[in-house]
Amino acid sequence: MLPSFKALSSRRHFLHRLGLAGLASSLPICRLLSARAAVFAASASLPASSGFRNRAPLAANAFYFLPLGSIRPTGWLESQLRIQANGLSGHLGETWADVGPDSGWLGGKGEAWERGPYYLDGLVPLAWLLDDARLKAKAQPFLDWTLDHQAPNGMIGPASNNDWWPRFVMLKVLTQYQELTGDNRVIPVMDKYLRHQLAELPQRPLRDWGKFRWQDELLSVLWLYNRTGSAYLLDLARLLHKQGYDWRSQYANFQYTERITSDYLKLKEGDGLKDLALATHGVNNGQAVKTGPVWSLVSGSPDDRAAVLTMISELNKYHGLPNGMFSCDEHLAGLDPSQGSELCTVVEYMYSLENSLAIVGDPRLGDRLEKLAFNALPGTFTDDMWAHQYNQEPNQVECSLHQKPWTTDGPESNLYGLEPNFGCCTANFNQGWPKFTNSLFMRSGAEESAHESDDGLVVAAYAPCEVRTTVRGTAVHVVEETSYPFRGAIRLVINPAAPVKFPLHLRIPAWAAGASIRINGEAAPQPVPESFARVERMWKAGDRVEIVFPMKPRISRWFHDSIAVERGPLVFSYGIGEDWVKLRDRGMTADWQVYLTSPWNYALKVDADEPEKSISVTEEAVGEQPFARKDTPVKLSVKARRLDAWRAEDGAADPLPQSPVASGQPEETLTLIPYAAAKLRVTAFPQCKS
Ligand SMILES: [Zn+2]
């Protein structure tokens, strides 16, 4: 019989506090080993329904993901996932050969690199979160082929391509699939593969994409270590770090502060993928945001853990855009809101933020995650999710075949279509909504956290869902009802199987001044913006937590002192009149150009000190397509004047004039709608002189 969890927990806490160096100097080695073995047993004995924590000697997370499948989407979020399932995600292999029946990841002669794993990385959680038999049946043959065709030396995947990089993605797929199904093939296959990789890496080291994305494999290595405790996995973690690119140094002394051009990269010399191009590549940087936190679990360094905030701050300072993204079309592209961001970068940045939030526990990471999820992600798809862009722009006045303003991308980059510019996003976008859903609730760290006996639930991001998990040994069902981000009211109903005491941590966004929390109708202390509000009590079935975030319009400052209008986590845009012109059919979908049918060059007249006085709000019901323009749930009205000198050339708005600006044109009332609803849009506006 195992000792009680509490006894082992406090021992683990003791070991954690000391650190390994402290242990080595203060305890005989045999005692160290037996103490660590006991810790391993403690972790392995945790019930699967509440998930795994980090094994010693890994540092603790602030929060832990719930096992995939614990959180189910409801309300508008379920509608959004169903739109995805009924769109390209649920039919991709029927119309796009790269993930079709001849895929190399099904043993065929077709595409054998990243596209199969990319697709599954989103299809697997989508299928199981919706409990959709049709989608599961699409994913299962890929999973079976990978699990049943491991080479005798441990290698997985198509034999025709031995690149490590696409296998990083397939490992992420396998970890999700194992959590969802418990399929007992997964862990032995991963274990044999990673032992092979550890033996092989010294002769065949990480290169190009793998070298710059090593932290994504590290997540899967640590996932397996938390389940098996095999020490070689920590050796592999250190080898990945050693062979991988040093992102922390890049951002400690950030040199890439300007728009990166192809001349600068000298791509035209045909040198292939040089390190300079890879270090300034948008998707690589989006993935790299998580590097510091993930590596900090091995290094134990608080500086590694904090590096995520430095990275985001530098990206924002030199390449930040009002939709929450940094520019990358496809290299870092500066502050002009006519520059684009690649869809792969949106979903990878989200995934980095989700993992960083879990490890670090900083509420600002949740604010940015919501900004991407509710703006940049839906803004780059058609309403039915049958077509997407490669690059989206905050100021996007035309979607057509044009070369300007992209740093290194091609002329199809902002068309809505099947695979505009390049097909990576077509395969990779699928992970965005399902992984966001899985990040809404987390568990708070236990004995290692700031609170000695924490072990509660965390609301990390807000959207309608329900959660089934185990807290302190008691089954707990939570229902979250809300129309957030379109409204500020959120209701949680907590239903434990028996009364149980635990803390609930509620993320209070930085913008949420004046927020309130009521428990069963009684006011709780007023929460502080940019924090987690902690509500600890003996929870009983039917307990209600009601949160209200005041949704006042506010403005933010961007390129050339331009302004963007925000309300809650939503960014608002002027929706330019759109004319959708089909460029060509693409199997079950099509490629579209979008041309404007109305003026767009407006300067806004708002009171910067009290923006809510010059911006009025209209709310309507949330429809089946929450981000569609035709029935958008919230609109803003604001005064504006045309600005004749601000023009567009070759499909892109010229750089914004420096604000404030003067205009002799008559005053008009402009309607602003959520960023995602406006496929042609102006988001960063010049500000009119008063
Ligand atoms: Zn892409």
Side-chain angles (χ1 to χ4, degrees):
M1 192 175 149
L2 286 166
S4 77
F5 174 66
K6 183 143 183 71
L8 287 170
S9 294
S10 56
R11 191 158 201 187
R12 185 146 70 108
H13 187 203
F14 168 74
L15 296 177
H16 178 76
R17 282 265 172 95
L18 281 179
L20 283 180
L23 275 170
S25 60
S26 60
L27 292 172
I29 281 292
C30 58
R31 267 189 72 196
L32 165 63
L33 291 177
S34 66
R36 288 180 65 191
V39 168
F40 292 173
S43 294
S45 70
L46 284 174
S49 59
S50 57
F52 286 80
R53 294 200 180 90
N54 295 342
R55 271 181 196 268
L58 299 180
N61 278 19
F63 310 141
Y64 292 92
F65 289 106
L66 298 175
L68 188 52
S70 306
I71 306 167
R72 302 277 173 166
T74 59
W76 74 256
L77 184 59
E78 183 180 6
S79 299
Q80 189 62 48
L81 264 67
R82 297 231 176 260
I83 290 168
Q84 181 176 343
N86 294 332
L88 202 52
S89 278
H91 298 278
L92 191 56
E94 299 161 35
T95 200
W96 198 51
D98 285 0
V99 297
D102 201 32
S103 163
W105 290 90
L106 291 169
K109 301 218 176 314
E111 206 272 350
W113 192 47
E114 66 183 10
R115 292 185 182 179
Y118 262 163
Y119 179 43
L120 294 169
D121 194 29
L123 178 65
V124 167
L126 180 69
W128 268 266
L129 293 191
L130 290 176
D131 195 21
D132 186 315
R134 184 181 71 85
L135 297 188
K136 289 180 190 176
K138 286 179 178 293
Q140 197 66 51
F142 288 93
L143 297 158
D144 290 341
W145 184 85
T146 299
L147 291 168
D148 294 341
H149 291 80
Q150 186 164 32
N153 69 358
M155 192 63 163
I156 57 169
S160 60
N161 185 330
N162 71 355
D163 189 1
W164 297 118
W165 152 242
R167 292 165 174 86
F168 293 9
V169 186
M170 186 49 83
L171 290 171
K172 286 196 294 173
V173 173
L174 294 177
T175 61
Q176 294 180 84
Y177 173 65
Q178 197 279 342
E179 289 188 26
L180 289 162
T181 66
D183 190 318
N184 60 18
R185 293 173 295 175
V186 172
I187 287 178
V189 165
M190 284 180 66
D191 183 66
K192 189 172 178 183
Y193 169 70
L194 293 174
R195 287 177 192 275
H196 164 71
Q197 192 189 22
L198 178 62
E200 187 77 4
L201 275 174
Q203 302 86 44
R204 195 163 71 78
L206 298 180
R207 61 180 177 83
D208 50 62
W209 301 111
K211 176 178 167 184
F212 284 79
R213 297 173 176 180
W214 61 276
Q215 67 286 333
D216 279 74
E217 170 160 349
L218 184 54
L219 280 172
S220 298
V221 171
L222 300 183
W223 181 95
L224 188 62
Y225 178 72
N226 285 334
R227 281 153 182 80
T228 68
S230 297
Y232 82 90
L233 291 165
L234 300 183
D235 296 335
L236 177 57
R238 290 185 199 100
L239 188 56
L240 292 170
H241 175 255
K242 187 175 161 200
Q243 292 190 356
Y245 184 68
D246 185 354
W247 286 106
R248 193 176 144 197
S249 292
Q250 169 160 323
Y251 278 88
N253 179 21
F254 192 53
Q255 299 294 310
Y256 307 122
T257 58
E258 304 282 338
R259 185 173 179 269
I260 304 293
T261 64
S262 56
D263 282 347
Y264 179 74
L265 295 173
K266 297 195 169 44
L267 282 179
K268 287 170 185 157
E269 291 179 1
D271 292 349
L273 297 165
K274 294 169 72 167
D275 278 8
L276 176 61
L278 291 162
T280 56
H281 185 270
V283 186
N284 287 352
N285 279 271
Q287 292 186 233
V289 165
K290 71 174 88 60
T291 308
V294 180
W295 175 244
S296 79
L297 300 179
V298 180
S299 74
S301 158
D303 292 342
D304 284 328
R305 192 166 280 223
V308 60
L309 298 170
T310 307
M311 273 195 79
I312 292 172
S313 148
E314 294 292 276
L315 285 168
N316 215 39
K317 184 172 171 188
Y318 297 108
H319 306 285
L321 297 175
N323 56 7
M325 284 299 302
F326 56 89
S327 61
C328 50
D329 56 23
E330 99 168 28
H331 293 85
L332 298 175
L335 294 165
D336 184 340
S338 289
Q339 297 295 147
S341 302
E342 185 187 333
L343 173 49
C344 279
T345 313
V346 176
V347 294
E348 293 292 357
Y349 195 3
M350 286 175 62
Y351 184 62
S352 286
L353 289 163
E354 290 155 7
N355 280 283
S356 300
L357 175 58
I359 295 168
V360 177
D362 189 309
R364 289 171 289 181
L365 300 170
D367 289 8
R368 187 165 292 269
L369 171 62
E370 286 186 351
K371 199 168 190 182
L372 298 188
F374 300 143
N375 299 285
L377 179 65
T380 202
F381 290 92
T382 52
D383 297 339
D384 59 9
M385 291 190 78
W386 269 101
H388 68 270
Q389 298 173 294
Y390 189 87
N391 287 337
Q392 64 179 299
E393 304 151 275
N395 286 359
Q396 180 166 281
V397 301
E398 185 175 301
C399 298
S400 65
L401 293 165
H402 60 257
Q403 190 58 49
K404 193 182 177 188
W406 321 126
T407 57
T408 52
D409 285 332
E412 289 194 1
S413 291
N414 76 351
L415 301 189
Y416 285 84
L418 172 67
E419 51 173 350
N421 192 53
F422 193 67
C424 50
C425 307
T426 310
N428 194 14
F429 81 72
N430 302 279
Q431 66 170 312
W433 283 117
K435 290 186 183 174
F436 176 70
T437 304
N438 188 52
S439 306
L440 296 173
F441 277 73
M442 299 183 186
R443 298 186 69 203
S444 50
E447 67 282 4
E448 294 92 343
S449 80
H451 303 289
E452 283 291 317
S453 58
D454 205 298
D455 195 15
L457 279 178
V458 181
V459 192
Y462 295 94
C465 67
E466 63 179 314
V467 184
R468 288 178 200 278
T469 187
T470 303
V471 184
R472 300 187 177 187
T474 300
V476 176
H477 176 219
V478 181
V479 177
E480 176 173 352
E481 297 168 330
T482 184
S483 296
Y484 187 93
F486 307 104
R487 305 284 189 276
I490 294 152
R491 185 158 99 142
L492 306 174
V493 181
I494 318 280
N495 291 308
V500 57
K501 188 178 181 189
F502 64 86
L504 184 65
H505 301 266
L506 306 167
R507 193 185 112 257
I508 310 299
W511 48 261
S516 65
I517 300 171
R518 299 180 81 82
I519 315 288
N520 294 334
E522 294 205 6
Q526 182 156 46
V528 179
E530 201 178 295
S531 76
F532 282 91
R534 187 173 197 266
V535 180
E536 180 159 24
R537 57 184 277 124
M538 180 70 77
W539 297 99
K540 296 187 285 299
D543 278 350
R544 286 172 291 120
V545 178
E546 284 154 321
I547 310 157
V548 177
F549 294 130
M551 290 286 203
K552 285 185 187 165
R554 58 190 198 281
I555 63 167
S556 51
R557 289 275 169 197
W558 302 94
F559 187 57
H560 288 174
D561 287 325
S562 58
I563 54 175
V565 179
E566 304 181 33
R567 178 180 183 259
L570 290 177
V571 179
F572 283 76
S573 303
Y574 170 57
I576 303 167
E578 299 167 8
D579 181 23
W580 288 68
V581 180
K582 189 188 283 185
L583 179 66
R584 59 192 167 224
D585 286 312
R586 298 298 302 267
M588 295 170 75
T589 184
D591 292 343
W592 297 89
Q593 303 189 80
V594 193
Y595 293 95
L596 59 80
T597 62
S598 69
W600 58 268
N601 48 349
Y602 289 96
L604 296 190
K605 205 169 165 220
V606 293
D607 179 345
D609 296 325
E610 293 182 284
E612 69 270 24
K613 288 193 174 164
S614 43
I615 302 171
S616 61
V617 180
T618 310
E619 292 184 338
E620 294 181 34
V622 181
E624 281 297 301
Q625 292 183 323
F627 294 101
R629 182 171 181 160
K630 64 178 164 54
D631 47 15
T632 181
V634 55
K635 294 176 183 168
L636 309 181
S637 295
V638 60
K639 300 291 184 203
R641 291 178 194 272
R642 294 277 303 277
L643 203 59
D644 291 334
W646 189 24
R647 302 287 176 86
E649 187 188 332
D650 190 21
D654 288 342
L656 291 142
Q658 178 69 42
S659 287
V661 295
S663 167
Q665 296 295 317
E667 191 170 277
E668 301 178 45
T669 300
L670 219 57
T671 300
L672 307 184
I673 58 177
Y675 173 94
K679 305 309 179 189
L680 291 186
R681 63 177 87 93
V682 175
T683 309
F685 298 86
Q687 183 178 11
C688 263
K689 279 183 180 154
S690 53

PDB file of all heavy atoms in Angstrom, residues 427-447:
ATOM      1  N   ALA A 427      -3.025  22.873 -43.115  1.00  0.00           N
ATOM      2  CA  ALA A 427      -2.914  21.704 -42.244  1.00  0.00           C
ATOM      3  C   ALA A 427      -2.846  22.099 -40.775  1.00  0.00           C
ATOM      4  O   ALA A 427      -3.343  21.384 -39.910  1.00  0.00           O
ATOM      5  CB  ALA A 427      -1.667  20.907 -42.627  1.00  0.00           C
ATOM      6  N   ASN A 428      -2.257  23.239 -40.478  1.00  0.00           N
ATOM      7  CA  ASN A 428      -1.911  23.586 -39.098  1.00  0.00           C
ATOM      8  C   ASN A 428      -3.000  24.371 -38.367  1.00  0.00           C
ATOM      9  O   ASN A 428      -3.033  24.370 -37.137  1.00  0.00           O
ATOM     10  CB  ASN A 428      -0.601  24.400 -39.100  1.00  0.00           C
ATOM     11  CG  ASN A 428       0.037  24.524 -37.728  1.00  0.00           C
ATOM     12  OD1 ASN A 428      -0.327  23.815 -36.795  1.00  0.00           O
ATOM     13  ND2 ASN A 428       0.994  25.423 -37.598  1.00  0.00           N
ATOM     14  N   PHE A 429      -3.901  25.028 -39.118  1.00  0.00           N
ATOM     15  CA  PHE A 429      -4.878  25.900 -38.433  1.00  0.00           C
ATOM     16  C   PHE A 429      -5.809  25.119 -37.518  1.00  0.00           C
ATOM     17  O   PHE A 429      -6.381  25.674 -36.580  1.00  0.00           O
ATOM     18  CB  PHE A 429      -5.694  26.718 -39.438  1.00  0.00           C
ATOM     19  CG  PHE A 429      -6.851  25.997 -40.094  1.00  0.00           C
ATOM     20  CD1 PHE A 429      -8.006  25.696 -39.389  1.00  0.00           C
ATOM     21  CD2 PHE A 429      -6.802  25.651 -41.435  1.00  0.00           C
ATOM     22  CE1 PHE A 429      -9.067  25.041 -40.009  1.00  0.00           C
ATOM     23  CE2 PHE A 429      -7.859  24.995 -42.057  1.00  0.00           C
ATOM     24  CZ  PHE A 429      -8.995  24.687 -41.328  1.00  0.00           C
ATOM     25  N   ASN A 430      -5.948  23.819 -37.802  1.00  0.00           N
ATOM     26  CA  ASN A 430      -6.978  23.016 -37.124  1.00  0.00           C
ATOM     27  C   ASN A 430      -6.823  22.968 -35.608  1.00  0.00           C
ATOM     28  O   ASN A 430      -7.772  22.696 -34.887  1.00  0.00           O
ATOM     29  CB  ASN A 430      -6.972  21.598 -37.709  1.00  0.00           C
ATOM     30  CG  ASN A 430      -7.222  21.623 -39.201  1.00  0.00           C
ATOM     31  OD1 ASN A 430      -8.350  21.725 -39.633  1.00  0.00           O
ATOM     32  ND2 ASN A 430      -6.157  21.580 -40.008  1.00  0.00           N
ATOM     33  N   GLN A 431      -5.625  23.229 -35.090  1.00  0.00           N
ATOM     34  CA  GLN A 431      -5.401  23.131 -33.645  1.00  0.00           C
ATOM     35  C   GLN A 431      -5.934  24.328 -32.858  1.00  0.00           C
ATOM     36  O   GLN A 431      -6.065  24.245 -31.634  1.00  0.00           O
ATOM     37  CB  GLN A 431      -3.899  22.975 -33.360  1.00  0.00           C
ATOM     38  CG  GLN A 431      -3.069  24.209 -33.728  1.00  0.00           C
ATOM     39  CD  GLN A 431      -1.634  24.128 -33.210  1.00  0.00           C
ATOM     40  OE1 GLN A 431      -1.401  23.823 -32.059  1.00  0.00           O
ATOM     41  NE2 GLN A 431      -0.676  24.397 -34.084  1.00  0.00           N
ATOM     42  N   GLY A 432      -6.232  25.456 -33.524  1.00  0.00           N
ATOM     43  CA  GLY A 432      -6.513  26.707 -32.819  1.00  0.00           C
ATOM     44  C   GLY A 432      -7.670  26.616 -31.821  1.00  0.00           C
ATOM     45  O   GLY A 432      -7.473  26.758 -30.611  1.00  0.00           O
ATOM     46  N   TRP A 433      -8.881  26.381 -32.312  1.00  0.00           N
ATOM     47  CA  TRP A 433     -10.051  26.359 -31.417  1.00  0.00           C
ATOM     48  C   TRP A 433     -10.035  25.188 -30.439  1.00  0.00           C
ATOM     49  O   TRP A 433     -10.326  25.374 -29.246  1.00  0.00           O
ATOM     50  CB  TRP A 433     -11.357  26.347 -32.224  1.00  0.00           C
ATOM     51  CG  TRP A 433     -11.737  27.679 -32.807  1.00  0.00           C
ATOM     52  CD1 TRP A 433     -11.857  28.001 -34.131  1.00  0.00           C
ATOM     53  CD2 TRP A 433     -12.068  28.882 -32.089  1.00  0.00           C
ATOM     54  NE1 TRP A 433     -12.238  29.314 -34.279  1.00  0.00           N
ATOM     55  CE2 TRP A 433     -12.377  29.871 -33.041  1.00  0.00           C
ATOM     56  CE3 TRP A 433     -12.133  29.215 -30.735  1.00  0.00           C
ATOM     57  CZ2 TRP A 433     -12.741  31.168 -32.679  1.00  0.00           C
ATOM     58  CZ3 TRP A 433     -12.495  30.497 -30.375  1.00  0.00           C
ATOM     59  CH2 TRP A 433     -12.801  31.463 -31.341  1.00  0.00           C
ATOM     60  N   PRO A 434      -9.708  23.944 -30.862  1.00  0.00           N
ATOM     61  CA  PRO A 434      -9.753  22.843 -29.880  1.00  0.00           C
ATOM     62  C   PRO A 434      -8.783  23.031 -28.719  1.00  0.00           C
ATOM     63  O   PRO A 434      -9.129  22.776 -27.563  1.00  0.00           O
ATOM     64  CB  PRO A 434      -9.380  21.605 -30.717  1.00  0.00           C
ATOM     65  CG  PRO A 434      -9.689  21.976 -32.129  1.00  0.00           C
ATOM     66  CD  PRO A 434      -9.459  23.448 -32.227  1.00  0.00           C
ATOM     67  N   LYS A 435      -7.562  23.502 -28.996  1.00  0.00           N
ATOM     68  CA  LYS A 435      -6.607  23.650 -27.896  1.00  0.00           C
ATOM     69  C   LYS A 435      -6.977  24.836 -27.002  1.00  0.00           C
ATOM     70  O   LYS A 435      -6.724  24.807 -25.801  1.00  0.00           O
ATOM     71  CB  LYS A 435      -5.185  23.784 -28.436  1.00  0.00           C
ATOM     72  CG  LYS A 435      -4.686  22.476 -29.041  1.00  0.00           C
ATOM     73  CD  LYS A 435      -3.232  22.569 -29.429  1.00  0.00           C
ATOM     74  CE  LYS A 435      -2.787  21.273 -30.094  1.00  0.00           C
ATOM     75  NZ  LYS A 435      -1.401  21.386 -30.602  1.00  0.00           N
ATOM     76  N   PHE A 436      -7.558  25.869 -27.591  1.00  0.00           N
ATOM     77  CA  PHE A 436      -8.056  26.966 -26.758  1.00  0.00           C
ATOM     78  C   PHE A 436      -9.120  26.436 -25.794  1.00  0.00           C
ATOM     79  O   PHE A 436      -9.110  26.751 -24.596  1.00  0.00           O
ATOM     80  CB  PHE A 436      -8.624  28.086 -27.644  1.00  0.00           C
ATOM     81  CG  PHE A 436      -9.239  29.212 -26.862  1.00  0.00           C
ATOM     82  CD1 PHE A 436      -8.444  30.074 -26.126  1.00  0.00           C
ATOM     83  CD2 PHE A 436     -10.614  29.399 -26.829  1.00  0.00           C
ATOM     84  CE1 PHE A 436      -9.012  31.109 -25.379  1.00  0.00           C
ATOM     85  CE2 PHE A 436     -11.188  30.429 -26.095  1.00  0.00           C
ATOM     86  CZ  PHE A 436     -10.378  31.288 -25.367  1.00  0.00           C
ATOM     87  N   THR A 437     -10.036  25.616 -26.308  1.00  0.00           N
ATOM     88  CA  THR A 437     -11.087  25.030 -25.468  1.00  0.00           C
ATOM     89  C   THR A 437     -10.465  24.270 -24.300  1.00  0.00           C
ATOM     90  O   THR A 437     -10.910  24.365 -23.151  1.00  0.00           O
ATOM     91  CB  THR A 437     -11.960  24.082 -26.318  1.00  0.00           C
ATOM     92  OG1 THR A 437     -12.482  24.810 -27.433  1.00  0.00           O
ATOM     93  CG2 THR A 437     -13.099  23.495 -25.507  1.00  0.00           C
ATOM     94  N   ASN A 438      -9.410  23.534 -24.596  1.00  0.00           N
ATOM     95  CA  ASN A 438      -8.765  22.726 -23.558  1.00  0.00           C
ATOM     96  C   ASN A 438      -7.990  23.572 -22.540  1.00  0.00           C
ATOM     97  O   ASN A 438      -7.521  23.036 -21.541  1.00  0.00           O
ATOM     98  CB  ASN A 438      -7.819  21.714 -24.198  1.00  0.00           C
ATOM     99  CG  ASN A 438      -7.280  20.731 -23.185  1.00  0.00           C
ATOM    100  OD1 ASN A 438      -8.066  20.124 -22.447  1.00  0.00           O
ATOM    101  ND2 ASN A 438      -5.972  20.600 -23.101  1.00  0.00           N
ATOM    102  N   SER A 439      -7.857  24.861 -22.791  1.00  0.00           N
ATOM    103  CA  SER A 439      -7.084  25.730 -21.893  1.00  0.00           C
ATOM    104  C   SER A 439      -7.971  26.622 -21.032  1.00  0.00           C
ATOM    105  O   SER A 439      -7.459  27.451 -20.279  1.00  0.00           O
ATOM    106  CB  SER A 439      -6.146  26.621 -22.721  1.00  0.00           C
ATOM    107  OG  SER A 439      -5.355  25.825 -23.577  1.00  0.00           O
ATOM    108  N   LEU A 440      -9.289  26.482 -21.130  1.00  0.00           N
ATOM    109  CA  LEU A 440     -10.175  27.394 -20.410  1.00  0.00           C
ATOM    110  C   LEU A 440     -10.058  27.197 -18.900  1.00  0.00           C
ATOM    111  O   LEU A 440     -10.015  28.166 -18.146  1.00  0.00           O
ATOM    112  CB  LEU A 440     -11.625  27.181 -20.871  1.00  0.00           C
ATOM    113  CG  LEU A 440     -11.909  27.510 -22.346  1.00  0.00           C
ATOM    114  CD1 LEU A 440     -13.330  27.090 -22.713  1.00  0.00           C
ATOM    115  CD2 LEU A 440     -11.712  28.998 -22.622  1.00  0.00           C
ATOM    116  N   PHE A 441     -10.029  25.947 -18.470  1.00  0.00           N
ATOM    117  CA  PHE A 441      -9.852  25.626 -17.048  1.00  0.00           C
ATOM    118  C   PHE A 441      -8.546  24.867 -16.871  1.00  0.00           C
ATOM    119  O   PHE A 441      -8.162  24.074 -17.736  1.00  0.00           O
ATOM    120  CB  PHE A 441     -11.003  24.735 -16.536  1.00  0.00           C
ATOM    121  CG  PHE A 441     -12.242  25.499 -16.151  1.00  0.00           C
ATOM    122  CD1 PHE A 441     -13.059  26.060 -17.122  1.00  0.00           C
ATOM    123  CD2 PHE A 441     -12.607  25.638 -14.819  1.00  0.00           C
ATOM    124  CE1 PHE A 441     -14.207  26.754 -16.777  1.00  0.00           C
ATOM    125  CE2 PHE A 441     -13.761  26.326 -14.458  1.00  0.00           C
ATOM    126  CZ  PHE A 441     -14.561  26.889 -15.436  1.00  0.00           C
ATOM    127  N   MET A 442      -7.891  25.081 -15.734  1.00  0.00           N
ATOM    128  CA  MET A 442      -6.690  24.324 -15.375  1.00  0.00           C
ATOM    129  C   MET A 442      -6.788  23.966 -13.895  1.00  0.00           C
ATOM    130  O   MET A 442      -7.697  24.409 -13.196  1.00  0.00           O
ATOM    131  CB  MET A 442      -5.431  25.154 -15.646  1.00  0.00           C
ATOM    132  CG  MET A 442      -5.253  25.547 -17.109  1.00  0.00           C
ATOM    133  SD  MET A 442      -3.705  26.453 -17.396  1.00  0.00           S
ATOM    134  CE  MET A 442      -3.907  26.903 -19.132  1.00  0.00           C
ATOM    135  N   ARG A 443      -5.842  23.168 -13.432  1.00  0.00           N
ATOM    136  CA  ARG A 443      -5.726  22.895 -11.992  1.00  0.00           C
ATOM    137  C   ARG A 443      -4.633  23.776 -11.436  1.00  0.00           C
ATOM    138  O   ARG A 443      -3.602  23.959 -12.087  1.00  0.00           O
ATOM    139  CB  ARG A 443      -5.326  21.444 -11.748  1.00  0.00           C
ATOM    140  CG  ARG A 443      -6.307  20.453 -12.250  1.00  0.00           C
ATOM    141  CD  ARG A 443      -5.873  19.075 -11.818  1.00  0.00           C
ATOM    142  NE  ARG A 443      -6.017  18.944 -10.379  1.00  0.00           N
ATOM    143  CZ  ARG A 443      -5.348  18.070  -9.643  1.00  0.00           C
ATOM    144  NH1 ARG A 443      -4.452  17.294 -10.218  1.00  0.00           N
ATOM    145  NH2 ARG A 443      -5.557  17.981  -8.350  1.00  0.00           N
ATOM    146  N   SER A 444      -4.826  24.282 -10.237  1.00  0.00           N
ATOM    147  CA  SER A 444      -3.734  25.037  -9.625  1.00  0.00           C
ATOM    148  C   SER A 444      -2.718  24.049  -9.074  1.00  0.00           C
ATOM    149  O   SER A 444      -3.055  22.922  -8.719  1.00  0.00           O
ATOM    150  CB  SER A 444      -4.255  25.958  -8.527  1.00  0.00           C
ATOM    151  OG  SER A 444      -5.084  25.268  -7.642  1.00  0.00           O
ATOM    152  N   GLY A 445      -1.456  24.496  -9.042  1.00  0.00           N
ATOM    153  CA  GLY A 445      -0.398  23.640  -8.531  1.00  0.00           C
ATOM    154  C   GLY A 445      -0.701  23.282  -7.087  1.00  0.00           C
ATOM    155  O   GLY A 445      -1.420  23.986  -6.394  1.00  0.00           O
ATOM    156  N   ALA A 446      -0.156  22.181  -6.628  1.00  0.00           N
ATOM    157  CA  ALA A 446      -0.457  21.766  -5.264  1.00  0.00           C
ATOM    158  C   ALA A 446       0.577  22.315  -4.307  1.00  0.00           C
ATOM    159  O   ALA A 446       0.781  23.514  -4.222  1.00  0.00           O
ATOM    160  CB  ALA A 446      -0.536  20.255  -5.199  1.00  0.00           C
ATOM    161  N   GLU A 447       1.327  21.450  -3.683  1.00  0.00           N
ATOM    162  CA  GLU A 447       2.160  21.862  -2.570  1.00  0.00           C
ATOM    163  C   GLU A 447       3.270  22.825  -2.968  1.00  0.00           C
ATOM    164  O   GLU A 447       3.779  23.559  -2.133  1.00  0.00           O
ATOM    165  CB  GLU A 447       2.758  20.623  -1.884  1.00  0.00           C
ATOM    166  CG  GLU A 447       3.753  19.835  -2.712  1.00  0.00           C
ATOM    167  CD  GLU A 447       3.106  18.947  -3.750  1.00  0.00           C
ATOM    168  OE1 GLU A 447       1.862  18.989  -3.897  1.00  0.00           O
ATOM    169  OE2 GLU A 447       3.830  18.224  -4.433  1.00  0.00           O
TER     170      GLU A 447
END
